Structures are given as structure tokens and as C-alpha cells.
């Protein structure tokens, strides 16, 4: 399942992020790639401990925690501190899959990547290429979103970023360990939750059918979640 979450950041925040990031000290992204992906990765990155990456990453984490669609779709248990990437001058990231287990020594944290997320920070009209292409069950999906919007996609998928042939593509990426590891179970919970949310406004506060659906939702979550 691919989930687009619009307006994680508003226009003013995106502008502020971009101004700060364009003045930042970027390093070669290959430094943090695994032995196989280093051959296909050509981009720039902000070091994980760079104070600007930490500051902006924390803003994103707060936004995600308060976004009902993100919470419902991800059932996030742990979120990797966001990483910032810059692609320009043909920069790209060839087809690869993300590591299943990721270790953050400074926080003594290991996460299992269930979901990958890309938050677009550049306006799509300001660069050519730079599509995130995700290979899904039904074929390859090219994704290029408005600045401030995020896509959530399965970390198990093969994906790539096509070469940026004009302008700059800046984005933030992160990985999520979900409380529900099984993607199809997570998708059923998401569908049920979305329907409950859609039905609730038209029903009285004490509607017994809504109560029962919520009851079912939580019992399914209890069955499938591990925390
Ligand atoms: Ni990736």
C-alpha cells in the first residue's frame, strides 16, 4: 500500500526548511550506503548528527506524531530520525531495497523497517527527473509530490530515485517500525479505522454500531500488535 499524506509541512515551513538546507554543509551520501547500494547511490546527505538535521528532523517527528492519517496508516512504534538528501547534476539512487534492521548506536536503538517515508521539500516544477519509483505488486509507481507532502511505502519494496537532470531535489526520508509487522493486517486496520472516521460525524455520540466497530478495531489491534 502506498499512502500519500499531504501537508506534513505548510508552505511557510517548507520555505524555512529549504532556506536552511540550501545553506547547509552536505556530504557524499555514499558514506552511509551498504556495500551493495554504494554502487547505485549518488546523492548528497546531511550527517545524522548535524545540528540542523537534528533540529529539522525533530520538527518532522512532532508533525508525524500529531497527524491522524500517518498514525492510522503506520501504527508507528519507532521512527528513525529523519535524514536529509539532496540530488542534483544527474544525482540518483538506483534500484535497491532498504535494510531490514537498522541500528542507531547513539540512541541504543534498533528498528525493523516496515515502512519507508519520503517527505518532498522541493517544488516539483523546480527540478526534472527525481521521481521516486516504487515497484509494487501491480507494477512500478513513479511518485513526485508537492513540497510538504509525504509518501509512505513498504520498506520491502524495490525502489529507486531517477536522475535529477535539472535543478535540485531536496527531501527528508525516514523509516518506521510499526506495532503491526504484517502489512496486510496493518492495511485491514487502516481501512477499518478510515471507515470509522468517515461514519462517525453523521452518527450520535453514543451510537452503538460505531462503538462496536471501535471495539472490533481494538480487538484486532490487540491480536496483531506487538510492542
Ligand atoms: Ni531506499
Amino acid at each position: 500500500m502506498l499512502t500519500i499524506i499531504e501537508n506534513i509541512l505548510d508552505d511557510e515551513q517548507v520555505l524555512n526548511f529549504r532556506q536552511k538546507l540550501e545553506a547547509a554543509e552536505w556530504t557524499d551520501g555514499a558514506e552511509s550506503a551498504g556495500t551493495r547500494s554504494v554502487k547505485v547511490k549518488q546523492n548528497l546527505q546531511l550527517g545524522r548528527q548535524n545540528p540542523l538535521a537534528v533540529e529539522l528532523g525533530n520538527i518532522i517527528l512532532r508533525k508525524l506524531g500529531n497527524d491522524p492519517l500517518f498514525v492510522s496508516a503506520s501504527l508507528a512504534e519507532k521512527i528513525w530520525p529523519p535524514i536529509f538528501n539532496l540530488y542534483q547534476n544527474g544525482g540518483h539512487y538506483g534500484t535497491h531495497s532498504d535494510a531490514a534492521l537498522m541500528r542507531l548506536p547513539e540512541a541504543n536503538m534498533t528498528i525493523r523497517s516496515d515502512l519507508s517515508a519520503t517527505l518532498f521539500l522541493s517544488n516539483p516544477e523546480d527540478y526534472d527527473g527525481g521521481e521516486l519509483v516504487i515497484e509494487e505488486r501491480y507494477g512500478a509507481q513513479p511518485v513526485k509530490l508537492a513540497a510538504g507532502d509525504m509518501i509512505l511505502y513498504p520498506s520491502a519494496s524495490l525502489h529507486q530515485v531517477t536522475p535529477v537532470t535539472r535543478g535540485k531535489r531536496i527531501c527528508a526520508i525516514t523509516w518506521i517500525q510499526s506495532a503491526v509487522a504484517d502489512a496486510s493486517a496493518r492495511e485491514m486496520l487502516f481501512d477499518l479505522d478510515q471507515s470509522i472516521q468517515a461514519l462517525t460525524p453523521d452518527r450520535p455520540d453514543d451510537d452503538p454500531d460505531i462503538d462496536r466497530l471501535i471495539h472490533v478495531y481494538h480487538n484486532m489491534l490487540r491480536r496483531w500488535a506487538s510492542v
Side-chain angles (χ1 to χ4, degrees), residues 11 28 45 48 69 78 123 134 169 192 214 216 221:
D11 292 349
D28 186 352
Q45 210 161 272
R48 200 167 62 214
L69 186 59
K78 295 180 192 171
N123 292 315
I134 303 160
R169 173 197 193 266
L192 177 56
I214 293 172
V216 170
L221 185 56

Side-chain angles (χ1 to χ4, degrees), residues 106-124:
E106 62 269 30
N108 196 21
M109 172 170 108
T110 301
I111 79 162
R112 180 193 61 237
S113 61
D114 294 316
L115 291 162
S116 302
T118 297
L119 170 62
F120 289 77
L121 294 170
S122 300
N123 292 315

Side-chain angles (χ1 to χ4, degrees), residues 37 87 93-99 116 118 132 153 155 157-161 173 175:
S37 50
Y87 292 80
Y93 198 162
T95 305
H96 67 280
S97 61
D98 295 340
S116 302
T118 297
L132 170 65
Y153 60 99
S155 299
S157 66
L158 285 170
H159 53 272
Q160 62 168 307
V161 177
I173 58 173
W175 293 269

Side-chain angles (χ1 to χ4, degrees), residues 30-47:
E31 285 166 17
S32 68
T35 44
R36 273 189 76 78
S37 50
V38 71
K39 297 186 188 127
V40 293
K41 186 176 184 185
Q42 192 197 321
N43 67 3
L44 297 173
Q45 210 161 272
L46 272 198

Side-chain angles (χ1 to χ4, degrees), residues 68-175:
L69 186 59
F70 173 81
V71 172
S72 177
S74 69
L75 298 169
E77 175 67 14
K78 295 180 192 171
I79 308 177
W80 191 261
I83 288 172
F84 295 86
N85 284 334
L86 168 63
Y87 292 80
Q88 60 186 355
N89 303 324
H92 60 277
Y93 198 162
T95 305
H96 67 280
S97 61
D98 295 340
L101 295 177
M102 304 170 63
R103 180 155 169 71
L104 196 61
E106 62 269 30
N108 196 21
M109 172 170 108
T110 301
I111 79 162
R112 180 193 61 237
S113 61
D114 294 316
L115 291 162
S116 302
T118 297
L119 170 62
F120 289 77
L121 294 170
S122 300
N123 292 315
E125 57 274 20
D126 291 342
Y127 62 97
D128 289 333
E131 280 99 2
L132 170 65
V133 181
I134 303 160
E135 288 179 25
E136 271 252 289
R137 235 177 318 166
Y138 305 110
Q141 294 285 330
V143 180
K144 188 169 180 174
L145 301 179
D149 292 356
M150 172 181 264
I151 178 126
L152 267 183
Y153 60 99
S155 299
S157 66
L158 285 170
H159 53 272
Q160 62 168 307
V161 177
T162 63
V164 172
T165 54
R166 176 187 64 89
K168 283 181 189 178
R169 173 197 193 266
I170 298 178
C171 61
I173 58 173
T174 186
W175 293 269

